[in-house]
């Protein structure tokens, strides 16, 4: 077992940081100071004019950090991304980190914040985890403005003949609140509106969140917002935000929100924090604009894709790269001993509860029993023509014999592998990983998406199911067949696809661990996010509004006698 002294809490470590002024962070990052828009002492937005100013600079190499299928607690992709960026600096390389912004729902729920951990964090962590520059609030306001204008349109005569029973645009809030999943609006006297059933999603699940993450600038934002389909008429024709008359006002609300947020790691490595799309139903990636800025000011851009390689990385490759035009040079595949032990099927992990005691005992056979999951994720990354590097995120409960199993699996697959101790050592603990990634980026890349854009939607879905997940095929419900036919007729067939499924299995069944075979992907229904620019297939029961547990993290968050925040993690 790896021995270590107990670490201070993430919040305690973050508060000990010697933070640089943002002007110095920008200077080190290569961002002109005149393009810096300060938001307090230790956060700044980056003016998008910088893209034109630096357009002639060489383009950086793109690295995406993904993972094996995670346990409910996650396997440390964010902290590995931060550690890798710091490790790059430690070996003398110039790197920019781009990450999603945390939602306050998970921060106050079970998972906690998303600033990294230990000595590989984004700081100030309180600022990052507690609404940052207000981008999420702007997205919430823009989303709910459109919802309000839809209901106002119904109330004032419904000129567009919008079917109240066929309105897909709900409301959002950046908080876990199961009581809002299904609500009735317009109750009361006639002047209170048209009664209808609707509901709330978490802000991270808003289509506007994805639009902010995928847009290429203010004008493109305006065009995408106008294309949002909010529902259908009685005759089945789509009704857009442009027709409702809301696109211009939404753009005005979001004008500043599309500018990436510049922060720093504990070791002053620059990080652009921007957007946070929901990983199950959306892209699960940070913004294209952050990647584009990073690609002009650094030699390496390190970004994280949500969940495992079958989820966020697949969408990074098939959706985000197509929008940004950036070609990945390497992928980091994060793995932990506990994840592979989980995929052995011998243990049950419950969020908010300690790991089973037997799981913490030395048992390389358990790791080997779950190894098919790692092998499958290596195969997934390779299927895109991208070089993977297996990163062992080391926990103090691990044993060398268990690491040896992972190293052997990687070596048998012909890929690089490195242990990383970034949580306890910061950048110095990630130097081995950083060097492995630099070496991988030096290899020729043959990046190839899973499907061609001109292929039918059903073909795209089937290619992802078979080629990425390893399914035997797909099974369409009657509703899904109807949806696909309608979207093809409406001209949406040239859009990429996103498959909304569980993140807890490569399959659509969260109970199936490892690398399931002999299964078929059931497609329940298909929806169109036309403004965001993709069609998504619903496979399984997707909750777009999480609920709080019996003992949420919020119960432990407070301020002390000095006004300092306590209890964040």
């Amino acid at each position: 077992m790896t021995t270590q002294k107990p670490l201070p809490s993430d919040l305690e470590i973050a508060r000990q940081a010697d933070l640089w002024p943002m002007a110095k962070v920008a200077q080190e990052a290569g961002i002109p100071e005149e393009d810096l828009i300060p938001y307090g002492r230790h956060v700044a937005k980056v003016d998008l004019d910088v893209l034109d100013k630096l357009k002639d600079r060489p383009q950086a190499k793109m690295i995406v950090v993904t993972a094996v299928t995670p346990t409910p607690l996650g396997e440390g992709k964010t902290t590995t991304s931060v550690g890798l960026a710091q490790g790059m600096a430690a070996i003398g390389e110039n790197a920019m980190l781009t990450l999603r912004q945390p939602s306050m729902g998970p921060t106050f729920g079970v998972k906690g914040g998303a600033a990294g951990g230990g000595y590989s964090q984004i700081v100030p962590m309180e600022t990052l985890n507690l609404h940052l520059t207000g981008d999420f609030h702007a997205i919430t306001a823009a989303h709910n403005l459109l919802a309000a204008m839809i209901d106002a349109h119904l109330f004032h005569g419904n000129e567009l003949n919008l079917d109240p029973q066929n309105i897909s645009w709900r409301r959002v809030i950046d908080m876990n609140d199961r009581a809002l999943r299904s609500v009735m609006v317009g109750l009361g006297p006639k002047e209170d509106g048209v009664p209808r059933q609707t509901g709330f999603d978490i802000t991270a699940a808003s289509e506007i969140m994805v639009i902010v993450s995928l847009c290429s600038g203010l004008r493109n934002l305006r065009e995408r917002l106008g294309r949002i389909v909010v529902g259908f008429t009685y005759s089945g024709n789509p009704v857009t935000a442009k027709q409702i008359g809301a696109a211009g006002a939404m753009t005005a609300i979001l004008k500043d929100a599309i500018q990436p947020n510049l922060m720093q790691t504990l070791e002053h490595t620059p990080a652009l924090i921007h957007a946070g799309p929901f990983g199950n139903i959306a892209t699960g990636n940070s913004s294209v604009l952050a990647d584009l800025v990073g690609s002009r000011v650094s030699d390496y851009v390190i970004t994280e894709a949500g969940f495992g390689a079958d989820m966020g990385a697949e969408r990074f490759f098939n959706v985000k790269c197509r929008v940004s035009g950036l070609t990945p040079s390497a992928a980091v595949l994060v793995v932990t001993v506990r994840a592979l032990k989980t995929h052995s099927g011998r243990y049950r992990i419950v969020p908010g509860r300690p790991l089973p005691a037997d799981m913490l005992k030395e048992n390389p056979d358990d790791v080997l029993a779950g190894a098919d999951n790692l092998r499958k994720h290596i195969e997934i990354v390779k299927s895109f023509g991208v070089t993977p590097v297996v990163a062992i995120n080391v926990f103090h409960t691990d044993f060398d014999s268990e690491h040896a199993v992972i190293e052997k699996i990687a070596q048998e697959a012909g890929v690089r592998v490195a242990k990383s101790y970034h949580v306890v050592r910061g950048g110095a603990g990630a130097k081995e990983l950083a060097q492995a990634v630099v070496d991988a980026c030096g290899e020729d890349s043959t990046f190839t998406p899973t499907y061609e854009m001109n292929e039918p939607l059903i073909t795209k879905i089937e290619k992802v199911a078979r080629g990425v997940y390893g399914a035997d095929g797909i099974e369409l419900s009657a509703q899904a067949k109807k949806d696909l036919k309608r979207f093809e007729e409406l001209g949406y067939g040239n859009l990429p696809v996103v498959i909304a499924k569980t993140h807890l299995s490569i399959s659509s069944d969260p109970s199936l661990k490892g690398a399931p075979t002999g299964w078929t992907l059931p497609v329940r229904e298909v929806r169109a996010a036309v403004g965001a620019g993709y069609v998504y297939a619903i496979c399984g029961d997707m909750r777009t509004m999480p609920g709080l547990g019996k003992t949420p993290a919020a119960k432990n968050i407070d301020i002390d006698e000095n006004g300092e925040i306590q209890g964040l993690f």
Side-chain angles (χ1 to χ4, degrees):
M1 180 180 291
T2 304
T3 59
Q4 68 176 58
K5 296 179 180 178
L7 280 178
S9 71
D10 290 347
L11 188 54
E12 290 171 330
I13 292 172
R15 286 201 175 134
Q16 295 168 4
D18 176 22
L19 296 176
W20 281 357
M22 293 314 298
K24 185 174 181 180
V25 176
Q27 181 182 23
E28 291 294 314
I31 298 172
E33 187 172 356
E34 63 267 23
D35 293 310
L36 212 59
I37 306 169
Y39 270 68
R41 294 188 180 93
H42 300 300
V43 183
K45 281 192 169 291
V46 179
D47 194 310
L48 295 178
D49 287 346
V50 74
L51 289 173
D52 284 332
K53 292 179 181 178
L54 305 179
K55 64 182 179 182
D56 294 328
R57 285 195 184 180
Q59 190 168 285
K61 293 186 176 181
M62 174 66 68
I63 301 155
V64 61
V65 178
T66 182
V68 297
T69 303
T71 66
L73 302 179
E75 305 315 310
K77 286 192 307 300
T78 302
T79 190
T80 301
S81 299
V82 177
L84 174 59
Q86 295 181 155
M88 285 285 203
I91 64 171
E93 299 290 352
N94 174 22
M96 171 69 80
L97 180 63
T98 65
L99 295 174
R100 286 184 293 171
Q101 181 183 335
S103 164
M104 288 197 296
T107 296
F108 291 122
V110 172
K111 188 176 180 181
Y119 290 97
S120 290
Q121 292 189 59
I122 304 295
V123 284
M125 70 95 79
E126 309 103 299
T127 304
L128 176 62
N129 287 317
L130 299 177
H131 60 77
L132 196 54
T133 56
D135 292 350
F136 275 35
H137 299 316
I139 290 167
T140 301
H143 184 113
N144 291 338
L145 170 63
L146 177 54
M149 291 183 70
I150 292 168
D151 281 305
H153 181 86
L154 294 176
F155 179 77
H156 291 292
N158 194 9
E159 181 182 349
L160 294 172
N161 209 28
L162 180 60
D163 180 0
Q165 303 304 314
N166 205 358
I167 295 173
S168 55
W169 197 257
R170 290 154 57 91
R171 286 167 168 81
V172 297
I173 185 172
D174 189 31
M175 194 55 57
N176 293 0
D177 193 345
R178 61 172 55 81
L180 295 178
R181 287 172 180 165
S182 182
V183 301
M184 289 293 296
V185 297
L187 299 180
K190 184 177 180 180
E191 60 266 26
D192 286 350
V194 177
R196 65 183 183 89
Q197 185 171 352
T198 180
F200 279 75
D201 299 320
I202 195 165
T203 297
S206 168
E207 183 177 347
I208 296 177
M209 178 68 79
V210 194
I211 289 173
V212 168
S213 75
L214 292 177
C215 75
S216 58
L218 191 60
R219 180 50 53 187
N220 183 245
L221 172 72
R222 174 65 171 78
E223 293 169 354
R224 287 174 177 269
L225 291 173
R227 292 198 298 263
I228 291 172
V229 173
V230 303
F232 294 85
T233 65
Y234 287 104
S235 58
N237 295 318
V239 176
T240 66
K242 181 180 180 180
Q243 291 174 285
I244 293 293
M250 289 193 291
T251 306
I253 292 173
L254 297 168
K255 182 174 69 72
D256 294 334
I258 65 168
Q259 298 167 326
N261 306 297
L262 181 65
M263 298 184 74
Q264 62 189 294
T265 73
L266 286 168
E267 298 177 9
H268 313 301
T269 309
L272 292 170
I273 313 296
H274 199 213
F278 201 82
N280 290 98
I281 66 163
T283 54
N285 283 261
S286 58
S287 78
V288 163
L289 285 169
D291 286 356
L292 290 174
V293 171
S295 73
R296 294 304 180 189
V297 300
S298 61
D299 296 326
Y300 296 91
V301 176
I302 300 166
T303 192
E304 175 195 342
F307 299 135
D310 59 314
M311 298 285 285
E314 181 270 319
R315 297 160 191 182
F316 173 83
F317 295 135
N318 281 324
V319 181
K320 189 182 180 186
C321 287
R322 280 186 159 112
V323 174
S324 70
L326 299 175
T327 301
S329 296
V332 175
L333 186 57
V334 179
V335 63
T336 60
V337 165
R338 72 179 187 183
L340 296 190
K341 285 186 174 181
T342 300
H343 284 286
S344 71
R346 299 169 184 174
Y347 303 98
R348 181 169 175 262
I349 309 301
V350 179
R353 296 184 186 177
L355 293 174
D358 286 346
M359 192 174 176
L360 302 180
K361 295 178 180 178
E362 183 173 12
N363 196 332
D365 288 341
D366 280 353
V367 179
L368 186 60
D372 280 348
N373 189 262
L374 173 58
R375 294 188 185 100
K376 180 59 181 176
H377 282 285
I378 292 173
E379 177 188 315
I380 289 171
V381 174
K382 282 185 170 182
S383 74
F384 291 96
V386 178
T387 303
V389 177
V390 174
I392 303 174
N393 182 17
V394 177
F395 283 67
H396 71 278
T397 52
D398 297 350
F399 292 86
D400 290 340
S401 62
E402 296 170 335
H403 292 160
V405 172
I406 297 174
E407 290 170 332
K408 183 178 180 181
I409 293 165
Q411 289 161 1
E412 288 173 348
V415 302
R416 294 176 176 82
V417 60
K419 296 181 186 179
S420 191
Y421 300 86
H422 50 272
V423 173
V424 294
R425 301 178 193 169
K431 290 169 71 173
E432 178 187 343
L433 174 60
Q435 188 58 58
V437 171
V438 170
D439 292 344
C441 287
E443 294 185 359
D444 291 335
S445 177
T446 56
F447 175 58
T448 307
T450 308
Y451 50 79
E452 298 296 330
M453 296 299 291
N454 60 1
E455 292 181 300
L457 293 172
I458 188 172
T459 302
K460 295 170 186 173
I461 294 170
E462 186 159 15
K463 282 192 172 184
V464 173
R466 291 180 180 274
V468 178
Y469 305 155
D472 287 346
I474 63 175
E475 181 180 353
L476 299 176
S477 70
Q479 181 62 51
K481 291 177 183 177
K482 180 180 177 182
D483 295 336
L484 287 169
K485 183 176 183 296
R486 177 171 58 165
F487 294 151
E488 292 281 2
E489 291 172 348
L490 289 171
Y492 306 156
N494 63 338
L495 297 178
V497 297
V498 166
I499 296 179
K501 73 174 189 69
T502 181
H503 58 285
L504 297 175
S505 172
I506 294 175
S507 74
S508 58
D509 182 347
S511 68
L512 298 180
K513 304 302 180 186
T517 58
W519 61 279
T520 300
L521 181 73
V523 181
R524 192 181 79 226
E525 62 176 301
V526 183
R527 301 175 186 171
V530 183
Y534 60 81
V535 169
Y536 59 108
I538 308 295
C539 304
D541 184 19
M542 292 296 103
R543 291 288 191 185
T544 52
M545 171 54 82
L548 291 175
K550 185 177 181 180
T551 309
K555 286 191 173 184
N556 300 316
I557 297 172
D558 206 335
I559 56 172
D560 63 17
E561 61 276 8
N562 299 316
E564 297 281 355
I565 296 171
Q566 301 294 318
L568 276 176
F569 66 96

